[in-house]
Amino acid sequence: MKDTERSVRVTVTRNGPYIVAGRVRLSDLTIATDAAGVSEEWVGHERPEGKATVALCRCGHSNSKPFCDGSHAKVGFDGTETANRAPYLERAQAFNGPELALLDVEGLCAFARFCDANGRVWNEVAETGDPELRETFIHQVQNCPSGRLVAWDKARQAALEPHVEPAIGFIEDPSEGCSGPIWLRGGIAVVSADGEQYEVRQRVTLCRCGGSRNKPFCDGTHAAIKFHAK
């Protein structure tokens, strides 16, 4: 990993915004669906390069989303972190296939729904002995933004993750009529308000609607409350 990658981190402030330190690519990411509303692919739009340090809204009330404008103080935002800090592998349930397993931590679900296509990944994993189905399965799992789902190589005892540069995306979900969470990719460190670093993972989604019961991570509440960032 490059030094520039290691330097990017997100710090959760107490009842306040996320502070992003280190230059990192920002983009708007839209969930594109088929005619039946099934998630198919990500469509991205790059944002102009910003400052080396930025504050991102997590209360959901900023008038300058995705950036913080101080609204958290005005609304009395309670940003208490409640997320389980145990490592992913200690919490994951495994669904076994011939050579791959599907690992799943349901509490991390950000409701992006890429898992639902092609008969759902929980069923697909049993068919991954077929090279074509294996490729489709891995692609669907890797599109899960929160990292709830992981494709696991049983022989290597390793997760199948593509190498991507650190990036931060702001998810939009037109099919559900709402804005989604903040998507961190590429192993960006997240540090809690009490100074403890969460497990560094390749895919993580942070709540930006203010309503998650798994703060600082997304739990899909944005879809239930029809959160709008624009």
Side-chain angles (χ1 to χ4, degrees), residues 103-127:
L103 305 185
D104 182 2
V105 176
E106 186 175 359
L108 296 176
C109 185
F111 199 61
R113 309 176 307 286
F114 287 93
C115 52
D116 290 336
N118 305 306
R120 311 189 81 219
V121 292
W122 296 271
N123 300 318
E124 287 179 80
V125 67
E127 307 298 327

Side-chain angles (χ1 to χ4, degrees), residues 94-103 122 125-128 152 154:
F95 298 83
N96 282 303
E99 298 173 354
L100 302 181
L102 175 66
L103 305 185
W122 296 271
V125 67
E127 307 298 327
T128 51
W152 184 260
K154 296 195 292 185

Side-chain angles (χ1 to χ4, degrees), residues 1 45 53-54 63 74 87 90 122 129 160 164 188 193 197:
M1 185 176 287
H45 176 72
T53 301
V54 296
N63 291 312
K74 299 176 185 176
E90 290 184 8
W122 296 271
L160 299 179
V164 295
I188 296 175
Q197 182 172 294

Side-chain angles (χ1 to χ4, degrees), residues 172-184:
E172 292 295 326
D173 191 350
S175 180
E176 286 295 313
C178 64
S179 300
I182 300 171
W183 186 7
L184 308 185

Side-chain angles (χ1 to χ4, degrees), residues 150-222:
V150 169
W152 184 260
D153 186 317
K154 296 195 292 185
R156 294 173 47 230
Q157 288 293 289
L160 299 179
E161 294 283 352
H163 176 76
V164 295
E165 297 292 319
I168 295 177
F170 308 105
I171 295 175
E172 292 295 326
D173 191 350
S175 180
E176 286 295 313
C178 64
S179 300
I182 300 171
W183 186 7
L184 308 185
R185 292 174 288 168
I188 296 175
V190 178
V191 180
S192 68
D194 62 15
E196 182 178 341
Q197 182 172 294
Y198 289 94
E199 179 183 20
V200 176
R201 304 189 63 223
Q202 290 299 307
R203 292 171 283 136
V204 168
T205 47
L206 300 178
C207 173
R208 64 169 172 154
C209 72
S212 174
R213 291 169 292 180
N214 191 39
K215 293 181 179 69
F217 304 110
C218 173
D219 70 352
T221 295
H222 60 273

Side-chain angles (χ1 to χ4, degrees), residues 136-153:
T136 298
F137 167 80
I138 293 172
H139 179 70
Q140 280 181 249
V141 171
Q142 291 178 348
N143 268 336
C144 169
S146 69
R148 166 191 171 173
L149 301 174
V150 169
W152 184 260
D153 186 317

